[in-house]
Amino acid sequence: MTHARGTPPRPPFWCPFPARPHPLAAQLVDGSARWARDMGLAASSTVFADTALPRGVSGLGPYLDPAGGAGTAQLASDFVEWSFALEAAARQDFSRPDVEDFPALAQRLLGVLQRPGARGAGGGPLPRALADLSRRVERLHPSAVDAWTARVRNHVVARRWEYGCRSRHGVPGFGHYVTRRRSGIAALCVLTLPRRSDPGLGSSATLAARRLALAAVDVIGLDHDVALYPLVLRSGPFPLNAATCIERHEGHPWDVAIYRTVQRRDEIMAAFVRGCEFLDRRADTALRSTLSRLRDCVSGHIAWLRRSGLPRLPPRPRCAADAVDDW
């Protein structure tokens, strides 16, 4: 893809869709913060420790499914808390003897998903919280258990892959990183929780929706990478994200790599917007409902990042402004 030379850059985190928090947003935030404390996750969820949000990641949940029922919205919000606690565990210093080896923890989490009858076993905040989430999915959406379980399994595996890259100081190429990281984005798991009013999608609509879902998840992932890059540089142990991939594989300074990441994110966002506009013209109620959920996820993540005091981008370097990016 290319970005025309001389085209004025869009503002950071450009998004044409308005964010819609859930009507019960305050209740969801309080509920997720309380649930995280009860599960022992609050002390572990330090990924956003130095942002402007005093409650950490609790503010994101209400944006992910603003039209969902109260139970499903709370479940989605709680899962986001768990997801960021998992990311915090994967970012911990793997050389510390007092920290559980993350691959071993990931294996225990996969065991929770594999053996429904043994979900109370194993102990520890993350396995205990995952068991609670799984029980609630079974109770609220029994038809979605298999899809949700598969997504969460991929989510854990993606975190284990990221941990492996960091522990080896291995940096994949940009395309490989984006593809592998998709499953690590919590929105994919949340989208498997159905709204009770949603009609089923036809086969052609399902394929189109899946393609747009991947674009939405790529935008969300790149937004997080750009926003968190200054934080992970300070907190370590190793800044594995899209900007690092561009910096190491394409030979750009870190500030140029950030703006190259922003540029590629904007190209994916533009394709996502065009796809939504095209499919919106189809007289397909189920597809329109799915597109609405995808737009809510994208705009909600961006609104939450802005409320948290992010992004904090460096000044735009001239070489980034003038470059034509072919990738």
Side-chain angles (χ1 to χ4, degrees), residues 71-154:
T72 299
Q74 189 67 69
L75 174 60
S77 184
D78 293 352
F79 176 79
V80 172
E81 290 281 347
W82 182 86
S83 175
F84 276 107
L86 177 67
E87 182 175 356
R91 288 177 181 274
Q92 292 184 87
D93 187 351
F94 36 78
S95 65
R96 286 174 49 189
D98 59 324
V99 174
E100 180 179 10
D101 178 62
F102 185 76
L105 172 60
Q107 198 60 41
R108 288 204 296 132
L109 294 171
L110 294 175
V112 170
L113 294 169
Q114 241 177 357
R115 298 185 296 276
R119 283 186 179 145
L126 281 162
R128 186 168 58 248
L130 180 57
D132 178 75
L133 292 167
S134 297
R135 285 190 292 268
R136 289 158 64 189
V137 172
E138 288 177 348
R139 185 175 68 251
L140 288 170
H141 303 294
S143 64
V145 168
D146 289 345
W148 187 83
T149 300
R151 285 294 192 196
V152 177
R153 183 182 300 115
N154 292 339

Side-chain angles (χ1 to χ4, degrees), residues 2-37:
T2 60
H3 191 273
R5 188 183 300 273
T7 301
R10 295 185 174 99
F13 292 65
W14 161 72
C15 180
F17 314 121
R20 301 189 303 150
H22 197 280
L24 301 176
Q27 176 182 320
L28 296 176
V29 168
D30 289 341
S32 289
R34 184 169 54 251
W35 178 82
R37 286 194 303 269

Side-chain angles (χ1 to χ4, degrees), residues 46-318:
T46 57
V47 177
F48 288 86
D50 58 352
T51 65
L53 283 181
R55 297 186 184 182
V57 301
S58 300
L60 174 56
Y63 283 103
L64 293 185
D65 195 6
T72 299
Q74 189 67 69
L75 174 60
S77 184
D78 293 352
F79 176 79
V80 172
E81 290 281 347
W82 182 86
S83 175
F84 276 107
L86 177 67
E87 182 175 356
R91 288 177 181 274
Q92 292 184 87
D93 187 351
F94 36 78
S95 65
R96 286 174 49 189
D98 59 324
V99 174
E100 180 179 10
D101 178 62
F102 185 76
L105 172 60
Q107 198 60 41
R108 288 204 296 132
L109 294 171
L110 294 175
V112 170
L113 294 169
Q114 241 177 357
R115 298 185 296 276
R119 283 186 179 145
L126 281 162
R128 186 168 58 248
L130 180 57
D132 178 75
L133 292 167
S134 297
R135 285 190 292 268
R136 289 158 64 189
V137 172
E138 288 177 348
R139 185 175 68 251
L140 288 170
H141 303 294
S143 64
V145 168
D146 289 345
W148 187 83
T149 300
R151 285 294 192 196
V152 177
R153 183 182 300 115
N154 292 339
H155 191 73
V156 174
V157 170
R159 291 294 181 214
R160 188 170 61 185
W161 173 77
E162 290 178 18
Y163 175 90
C165 289
R166 277 195 294 269
S167 63
R168 298 188 306 271
H169 283 208
V171 182
F174 177 83
H176 184 202
Y177 169 79
V178 170
T179 301
R180 288 296 302 265
R181 188 173 183 243
R182 283 171 179 162
S183 296
I185 305 299
L188 264 183
C189 302
V190 170
L191 287 169
T192 62
L193 301 174
R195 292 174 181 167
R196 296 190 184 279
S197 59
D198 278 356
L201 286 172
S203 57
S204 61
T206 299
L207 179 60
R210 283 177 180 170
R211 289 173 176 169
L212 281 180
L214 291 179
V217 167
D218 287 347
V219 169
I220 290 168
L222 293 175
D223 281 344
H224 277 259
D225 280 5
V226 170
L228 289 178
Y229 191 77
L231 300 183
V232 298
L233 280 178
R234 291 199 300 271
S235 63
F238 181 67
L240 176 67
N241 61 28
T244 309
C245 298
I246 293 174
E247 180 183 1
R248 297 290 179 89
H249 281 268
E250 301 177 23
H252 297 297
W254 71 273
D255 52 349
V256 174
I258 287 179
Y259 280 96
R260 287 293 179 95
T261 306
V262 171
Q263 183 176 331
R264 296 176 192 185
R265 173 264 186 208
D266 285 350
E267 291 169 350
I268 298 171
M269 172 66 99
F272 174 71
V273 171
R274 289 194 300 270
C276 288
E277 290 173 346
F278 174 77
L279 293 176
D280 261 337
R281 294 194 288 269
R282 294 178 52 171
D284 189 322
T285 304
L287 182 56
R288 288 179 178 173
S289 176
T290 300
L291 295 179
S292 175
R293 294 193 70 180
L294 293 175
R295 285 190 287 253
D296 285 336
C297 274
V298 171
S299 61
H301 275 82
I302 294 169
W304 172 71
L305 285 171
R306 286 174 174 158
R307 288 185 63 238
S308 68
L310 300 168
R312 303 174 186 139
L313 298 179
R316 177 182 285 270
R318 180 178 178 83

